[in-house]
Amino acid sequence: MLPHELDLTKPIEDQGPLDVIIHKLTDVILEADQNDSQSLELVQRFQEYIDAHPETIILDPLPAIRTLLDRSKSYELIRQIEAYMQDERICSPPFMELTSACGEDTLQLIEKNGLAFPFICKTRVAHGTNSHEMAIIFNQEGLKAVHPPCVIQSFINHNAVLYKVFVVGESYTVVKRPSLKNFSAGISDRESIFFNSHNVSKPESSSVLTAAEVCLVPRASMTVSPSGFPYRAPLDKIEGVFERPNDDVIREISKALRQALGVSLFGIDIIINNQTGQHAVIDINAFPGYEGVSEFFTDLLNHIAAVLQGQAPEVTQLNRSKLLAEQTSGIMDERICCASTGCLSVMGKDSSWIVESETNSSVKLQHQRLGCNSAVSPSFQQHCVATLATKASSQ
């Protein structure tokens, strides 16, 4: 294999032939969708190469990326997956899109779509600095501060714990992060809370929204840390269920998303409903930063090799993903109220691969990965890791 970085400002034909292209064109795609002429040209050039070379594997397909960049579409996809799976351990938070300023009929539409106060308001675009700006709305008065277009989603109490699932093909790693504390259900006189999710859910985050007070939890209610020692969680109040996500559920959710969209590199934000113990997917991210995933580069190299050997299941799902993406975009009316320009390409083929699993009991709760039964050359690994590390550090 011979990896190298593509220059999309130059003809791609002159830089091939290419077996696999790994890209993070999220910024370029968004700018193209806003009619930026340079970005439109780059995306068009990239798409023309894809159309002319159907044998080239794209990680990940552009239609799937566009779905994940649109919270309204990705939430609808999750709703469909939940309905298809019929697994009582999974719940899809009610949501709807607001496209215009809230009027007299907004509350009726909110109720019709199954939402109740409090709910969380997010930008429709699920990428970029602004996508992390959010608000918790507690009453009708708070709706006046909402700036459409945006997506509102029911807030589910989850004892201030978020589980980020980082997926690389069939491999995934679960990382525990702080999250929003519990709030009382129903309308209240609280003022809306505006926040940046990076200030709440990053590993180093320290926010009053996650730890306003340290409560002393009775020993019977204490959480057991990965090391086996009990600790008192820094929450206003721990209520109901407080448990880790189920490995089988995470595996099925990530598998369903891979098969539905034909994607390999994505993240899933999951919380555990503290009343029902159900898993709720609250966001999906295209090609996340994989912060806290020490095996990312190894998993990526393994996945590339599996793809080249035709073993990766999402490769066989590309036609289905295009169809599902079209179906998803056509369903949204019911729920509507009136990056780097470089790509990493891989040339050549190598080795056969098998699947194995392992468990890690640190803050990285679960990790399942692909392992190889024939070695990839050390020089290739070093080149790939160095190239990808440079790209990842810029995100």
Side-chain angles (χ1 to χ4, degrees), residues 199-245:
N199 298 332
V200 172
S201 295
K202 282 291 186 180
E204 68 280 2
S205 297
S206 178
S207 168
V208 295
L209 294 178
T210 64
E213 298 176 1
V214 177
C215 67
L216 299 181
V217 184
R219 178 165 294 275
S221 302
M222 279 187 173
T223 302
V224 177
S225 70
S227 62
F229 296 100
Y231 67 91
R232 294 179 172 87
L235 306 173
D236 271 357
K237 184 168 52 178
I238 292 180
E239 300 175 333
V241 178
F242 191 59
E243 60 184 33
R244 294 181 180 181

Side-chain angles (χ1 to χ4, degrees), residues 65-76:
I65 298 300
R66 284 192 168 93
T67 296
L68 296 183
L69 289 176
D70 187 323
R71 282 193 169 109
S72 194
K73 291 182 179 179
S74 66
Y75 292 174
E76 176 61 28

Side-chain angles (χ1 to χ4, degrees), residues 158 161-165 174-177 179 242-245 250 268-272 363 365-366:
H158 51 284
V161 177
L162 170 69
Y163 297 98
K164 296 192 77 70
V165 181
V174 183
V175 177
K176 183 179 177 182
R177 295 277 180 83
S179 185
F242 191 59
E243 60 184 33
R244 294 181 180 181
I250 290 179
I268 314 170
D269 289 353
I270 292 179
I271 58 175
I272 305 296
V363 176
L365 299 180
Q366 294 129 340

Side-chain angles (χ1 to χ4, degrees), residues 20-26 29 46-47 50 56-66 68 167-169 257-258 261-267 284-288 290 296 300 303 307 312 314-315 318 321-322 343-344:
V20 181
I21 299 178
I22 306 169
H23 71 88
K24 185 165 185 175
L25 296 177
T26 43
I29 291 171
F46 189 65
Q47 187 63 58
I50 294 173
T56 300
I57 296 169
I58 309 299
L59 302 180
D60 282 320
L62 297 191
I65 298 300
R66 284 192 168 93
L68 296 183
V167 181
V168 183
L257 284 168
R258 294 200 323 269
L261 292 172
V263 291
S264 303
L265 305 170
F266 60 98
I284 315 172
N285 308 297
F287 208 147
Y290 291 93
F296 169 65
L300 181 58
H303 180 63
V307 166
E314 55 266 28
V315 174
L318 297 185
S321 74
K322 293 179 181 178
C343 307
L344 182 72

Side-chain angles (χ1 to χ4, degrees), residues 268-281:
I268 314 170
D269 289 353
I270 292 179
I271 58 175
I272 305 296
N273 187 319
N274 74 345
Q275 298 300 312
T276 65
Q278 291 176 301
H279 300 61
V281 175

Side-chain angles (χ1 to χ4, degrees), residues 117-133:
F117 291 104
F119 51 76
I120 191 163
C121 180
K122 308 177 185 181
T123 60
R124 176 166 179 169
V125 177
H127 179 74
T129 304
N130 290 339
S131 68
H132 301 290
E133 299 297 333

